[in-house]
């Protein structure tokens, strides 16, 4: 039933009379239930081999895989996120947790939306860069300076954001920073009337980077304090989906607003939505009470650890901390390289390709992949597997397997294959959310925000260097292959170190700690 419905929807989307006819034949044929997948494969294979369908047959295949992936990931997310991975898979949660469940759902949804808005504001300037360059007469170098100014501020507040989250609560840090970057984003178009508009925009972007730099460290602190170890991966992966959603929504809505109302409307739209989100967050969920992110945590009366000071010596004398920092550095660096250079790669290698395809499909596929990684990680831990073993398995996929598809991307001259390889590489990188990102929380629950801030600062700086190095390699060799080799080298350096030396023993304790 699911496959036949999918075929009908996709046939209408592709507007292909012949494919619709073949789908109808398959649906009406006497295919036994067990062989329906085989029938589907035969239809798709026939269409893929038809020279008349080469222009969109590969896109239909991606859509079908995405349809089924979203369906099963949605089922997993509903059972795992909104019912809790430690509960039986029924539609009725335990009666004593019902009041907490609704608040847990609200917090999970709001944090996901907050991450979405964070990335929506972040990509507002890149979406408008071409139009603003035309209005203000910027050269490529001047436009690049404005765009890069975001990262100047972003690298400076990671540690501060994590430390404040550990001390006063991540929810308060997120609320303040989102209020500030929302106002700055709404006010950004007014800077165009200043004498030196470019300087004003640089200042605006740098301040936005400063304020957004505290978000993920504060979020890490909040999740560590409020979510059990066996439920962290799914919670973090679900909230992390907002990054892909933000880029997709702003990429689509921003392009429409840019054409209809001008570049100013993009900033008004993204900043205004952020301020509305802040108002709702403050009025309905921060009225003098602590947030509930895992009902089982509050039901069991688990304490919230907020240290008075950071155990600097304990942290940085432990090799496990440096291994975690290196692994986070590797994942962030490779992500920034792909994020920065993939659009240019497709534009130059496949000049006649549709931009919306390679700008949308990889991030769309990454959404169910991120949800699935969190669900799988928490499920394996609930089944009795050691936490460190699960974290390493996630990193093998997030760093190792994604590198293989990145290498394939550098050696293909087929646009359909390039889109598939790029989608696979980016979606598999989301497994890092269930690996190193939550591994830092395992190492130091009492100061996870601070430690994540240190690791993410290193990753952001490495990302800037990696992007610049990628550009140098392209100019020096005249080939894109070296960029994807760089991604693979960085990934495997972090993966090899983590597999060989990574441990999950707590490092924020004065005693020998405890193994997880």
């Amino acid at each position: 039933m699911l496959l036949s419905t999918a075929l009908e929807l996709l046939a209408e989307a592709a507007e292909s009379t012949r494919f619709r006819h073949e789908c109808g034949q398959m649906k009406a044929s006497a295919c036994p239930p067990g062989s329906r997948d085989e029938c589907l494969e035969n239809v798709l294979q026939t269409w893929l081999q038809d020279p008349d369908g080469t222009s969109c047959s590969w896109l239909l295949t991606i859509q079908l895989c995405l349809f089924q992936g979203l369906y099963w990931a949605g089922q997993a997310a509903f059972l795992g996120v909104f019912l809790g991975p430690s509960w039986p898979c029924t539609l009725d949660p335990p009666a004593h947790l019902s009041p907490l469940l609704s608040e847990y759902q609200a917090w999970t949804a709001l944090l996901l939306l907050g991450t979405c808005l964070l990335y929506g504001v972040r990509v507002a300037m890149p979406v408008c860069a071409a139009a603003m360059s035309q209005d203000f007469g910027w050269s490529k170098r001047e436009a690049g300076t404005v765009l890069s100014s975001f990262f100047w501020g972003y690298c400076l507040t990671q540690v501060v954001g994590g430390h404040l989250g550990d001390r006063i609560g991540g929810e308060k840090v997120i609320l303040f920073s989102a209020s500030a970057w929302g106002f700055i984003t709404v006010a950004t178009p007014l800077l165009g009337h200043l004498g030196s508009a470019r300087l004003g925009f640089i200042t605006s972007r740098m301040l936005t980077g400063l304020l957004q730099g505290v978000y993920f460290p504060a979020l890490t602190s909040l999740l560590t304090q409020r979510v059990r170890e066996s439920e962290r991966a799914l919670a973090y992966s679900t909230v992390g989906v907002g990054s892909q959603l933000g880029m997709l929504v702003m990429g689509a809505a921003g392009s429409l607003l840019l054409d209809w109302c001008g570049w100013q409307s993009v900033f008004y739209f993204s900043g205004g939505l952020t301020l509305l989100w802040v108002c709702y967050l403050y009025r309905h969920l921060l009225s003098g009470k602590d947030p509930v992110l895992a009902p089982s945590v509050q039901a069991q009366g688990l304490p919230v650890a907020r240290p008075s000071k950071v155990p600097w010596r304990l942290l940085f004398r432990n090799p496990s901390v440096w291994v975690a920092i290196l692994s986070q550095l590797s994942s962030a660096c490779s992500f920034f390289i792909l994020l920065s250079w993939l659009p240019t790669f497709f534009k130059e290698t496949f000049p006649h390709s549709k931009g919306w395809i390679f700008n949308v499909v990889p991030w769309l596929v990454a959404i169910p992949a991120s949800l699935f990684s969190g669900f799988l990680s928490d499920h394996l831990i609930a089944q009795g597997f050691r936490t460190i073993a699960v974290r390493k398995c996630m990193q093998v996929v997030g760093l190792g397997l994604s590198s293989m598809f990145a290498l394939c991307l550098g050696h293909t001259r087929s646009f359909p294959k390039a889109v598939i390889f790029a989608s696979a590489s980016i979606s598999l990188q989301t497994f890092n959310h269930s690996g190193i990102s939550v591994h830092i929380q395992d190492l130091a629950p009492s100061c996870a925000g601070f430690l994540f801030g240190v690791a993410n600062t290193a990753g952001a700086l490495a990302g800037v260097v990696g992007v610049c190095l990628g550009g140098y390699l392209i100019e020096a060799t005249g080939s894109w292959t070296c960029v994807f080799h760089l991604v693979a080298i960085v990934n495997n350096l972090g993966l090899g170190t983590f597999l060989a030396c990574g441990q999950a023993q707590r490092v924020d304790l004065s005693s020998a700690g405890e193994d997880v």
Side-chain angles (χ1 to χ4, degrees), residues 429-441:
Q429 279 197 346
T430 63
F431 277 69
N432 294 323
H433 294 163
S434 304
I436 188 59
S437 296
V438 287
H439 174 68
I440 292 175
Q441 302 173 38

Side-chain angles (χ1 to χ4, degrees), residues 447-464:
C447 51
F450 166 80
L451 186 56
F452 184 86
V454 173
N456 217 33
T457 299
L461 292 173
V464 174

Side-chain angles (χ1 to χ4, degrees), residues 81-82 103-114 238-239 277:
V81 177
F82 296 112
E103 190 175 352
Y104 167 60
Q105 293 173 336
W107 267 101
T108 303
L110 275 178
L111 288 175
L112 188 153
L113 180 59
T238 304
V239 174
W277 175 76

